Amino acid sequence: MSLRSALGSAAGAALLLVAAAPAATASAGPYETVTVDPTGSIAPDGTVTLSGTYRCLGNSGPAFVSSSVSQGDSAVRNGIGGTRAVCDGMEHSWENSGKPSSDPLNPGPAQVEATVMELAPQGGLPLPRFHAVQHQDITLTES
């Protein structure tokens, strides 16, 4: 086999693997989860801290655990930070902190959404791929 044929075969095989990879990891499996702890905290300066665990597998781009919180009007959600995720199939802890951009939050019941998402390269552009999402009622406490 000539060098040109060998390189052509290797390039073809690589293209097949790259094309097949997104299809093989297109949807979250049952082993991909995110949890939210039942309590979060509000510091005197208004900073909210949320936490939980996550498990993901098979990322091809950077992955993150993001979180948002709402009280009362669920249409108003406040993003509360983001943590870099390691998608190795193991369970990891996450903790996000941030100040709400709209009205300050108060101690008491709240609703949290946590998401494990990666920016997967597709055709040269990083597109979002969701690994896990959790909606959870929690209690915010003063810290």
Side-chain angles (χ1 to χ4, degrees), residues 1 16 20 24 37 39 57 72 76 85 102 105 110 112 114 116-117 123 141:
M1 177 183 272
L16 284 174
D37 290 340
T39 58
L57 184 64
V76 178
S102 62
L105 298 170
V112 171
V116 180
M117 188 266 310
T141 61

Side-chain angles (χ1 to χ4, degrees), residues 56-82:
C56 56
L57 184 64
N59 63 312
S60 57
F64 303 91
V65 180
S66 63
S67 57
S68 62
V69 63
S70 64
Q71 279 186 321
D73 182 7
S74 62
V76 178
R77 300 198 67 78
N78 294 283
I80 305 296

Side-chain angles (χ1 to χ4, degrees), residues 47-113:
T47 299
V48 174
T49 301
L50 305 170
S51 58
T53 63
Y54 72 91
R55 179 189 320 251
C56 56
L57 184 64
N59 63 312
S60 57
F64 303 91
V65 180
S66 63
S67 57
S68 62
V69 63
S70 64
Q71 279 186 321
D73 182 7
S74 62
V76 178
R77 300 198 67 78
N78 294 283
I80 305 296
T83 302
R84 186 78 185 249
V86 177
C87 292
D88 59 3
M90 304 296 291
E91 185 173 271
H92 299 277
S93 297
W94 64 269
E95 182 177 285
N96 293 340
S97 295
K99 283 189 180 181
S101 57
S102 62
D103 294 332
L105 298 170
N106 299 307
Q111 300 75 43
V112 171
E113 179 179 289

